[in-house]
Amino acid sequence: MKKIYAIAFALLLIHSYAHAQDKTIKWSGYTWKVKEPADATGPGPNYWSGSNVWVDGSGWLHLKVSKNATTGHWECAEVASTESFGMGTYQWQIDADVDKFDKNLVLGLFDYSGTDARDEIDIEFARWGNSSYPNLNYTVYPKVGDPPRHTSFSTEFTSPNGTYTTHKFTRTADKITFKTLYGHVNDEPRDNLFISKEFKSPSVSISSVNMPVLLNLWLFKGQAPTDDKPFEVVIHSFKFTPQ
């Protein structure tokens, strides 16, 4: 019996130590957990590296996809907020050529409960491995208890006036409104608006739960960029305004 207790205590210590070593960063006024599991995991599946996530001297978040010279694996980047958010407006300001992504690159800006295909709201820049697919994607996954049917919208996004863009969605009890704008703007000047798309209940199942916010840069089906080169995205800020 003493041996069993000793083993259990040792396992607890190992678990506690591993948990204590989880990498976190401070960015945009929040604490974020950095994804870095030992093995390949979803989405993708992909390998993930804490070295591909950092905050620079200006307070901007960097996410990178790169090839590990030692293992030969392509490694991706993801952060998740330690805080959960509910109804309100979620906004990201990005500096990147999102309209020129390789067909295998995916940038996700979303909130997610942790249950696949449920309680998730996504903005994704991705062509899903096919260069002819539109690159801007809005998706709403249903709340738990409703039929597992997601609703999505895709369109081709171009940014002729530079790499600064603003992306947001507003959650209410009966509606999700997505917006993509040119430049870094906190208001919504008409000249900056690229598109606005609305998803309404009851035709769309809208989550009511509080969820963490996630940002990730990854490879579709774990496939390397077609040019075999690393890629980096800079996110200047995340802002949440409660309803």
Side-chain angles (χ1 to χ4, degrees):
M1 185 63 71
K2 289 182 178 179
K3 185 176 181 179
I4 293 174
Y5 282 137
I7 293 172
F9 182 68
L11 290 173
L12 178 62
L13 284 177
I14 291 171
H15 173 77
S16 299
Y17 179 79
H19 181 73
Q21 297 302 305
D22 287 349
K23 180 178 177 179
T24 61
I25 59 169
K26 299 283 188 179
W27 173 65
S28 274
Y30 299 100
T31 300
W32 306 79
K33 295 180 290 186
V34 177
K35 187 173 184 175
E36 46 183 355
D39 301 315
T41 61
N46 280 288
Y47 293 92
W48 307 83
S49 172
S51 298
N52 282 349
V53 175
W54 70 95
V55 178
D56 67 23
S58 297
W60 302 339
L61 175 67
H62 294 245
L63 302 178
K64 187 176 182 180
V65 166
S66 62
K67 190 173 185 179
N68 186 311
T70 301
T71 64
H73 295 148
W74 280 89
E75 296 175 335
C76 303
E78 179 178 287
V79 296
S81 65
T82 58
E83 183 174 336
S84 293
F85 304 85
M87 303 302 171
T89 297
Y90 300 68
Q91 176 181 284
W92 297 263
Q93 294 186 333
I94 293 174
D95 179 8
D97 285 317
V98 293
D99 57 337
K100 298 179 178 65
F101 274 14
D102 183 273
K103 68 177 183 177
N104 292 332
L105 276 169
V106 183
L107 173 65
L109 314 168
F110 57 110
D111 60 2
Y112 173 51
S113 68
T115 302
D116 285 346
R118 301 287 188 176
D119 295 310
E120 183 176 345
I121 303 165
D122 294 313
I123 300 171
E124 290 169 304
F125 285 93
R127 297 192 187 276
W128 312 115
N130 188 323
S131 57
S132 66
Y133 285 175
N135 61 351
L136 174 59
N137 307 270
Y138 301 147
T139 306
V140 177
Y141 287 92
K143 57 188 175 184
V144 170
D146 282 359
R149 184 177 62 250
H150 69 272
T151 304
S152 61
F153 169 83
S154 299
T155 190
E156 183 67 21
F157 174 73
T158 58
S159 183
N161 298 317
T163 59
Y164 278 22
T165 52
T166 299
H167 312 275
K168 60 174 67 180
F169 61 77
T170 299
R171 288 178 61 189
T172 68
D174 61 356
K175 183 171 62 177
I176 306 288
T177 304
F178 293 90
K179 293 184 179 180
T180 290
L181 303 104
Y182 299 117
H184 285 176
V185 292
N186 291 311
D187 52 1
E188 296 173 9
R190 181 176 299 179
D191 290 346
N192 290 69
L193 181 64
F194 170 76
I195 197 168
S196 177
K197 181 66 178 178
E198 190 174 87
F199 296 74
K200 294 187 72 173
S201 176
S203 58
V204 177
S205 174
I206 296 175
S207 175
S208 59
V209 302
N210 290 0
M211 296 179 275
V213 166
L214 286 82
L215 301 88
N216 56 23
L217 185 66
W218 53 283
L219 295 165
F220 179 63
K221 294 185 177 179
Q223 300 175 109
T226 55
D227 62 4
D228 207 43
K229 293 180 179 179
F231 192 83
E232 185 178 322
V233 170
V234 181
I235 302 95
H236 283 212
S237 66
F238 165 72
K239 180 182 178 183
F240 174 71
T241 305
Q243 186 185 12

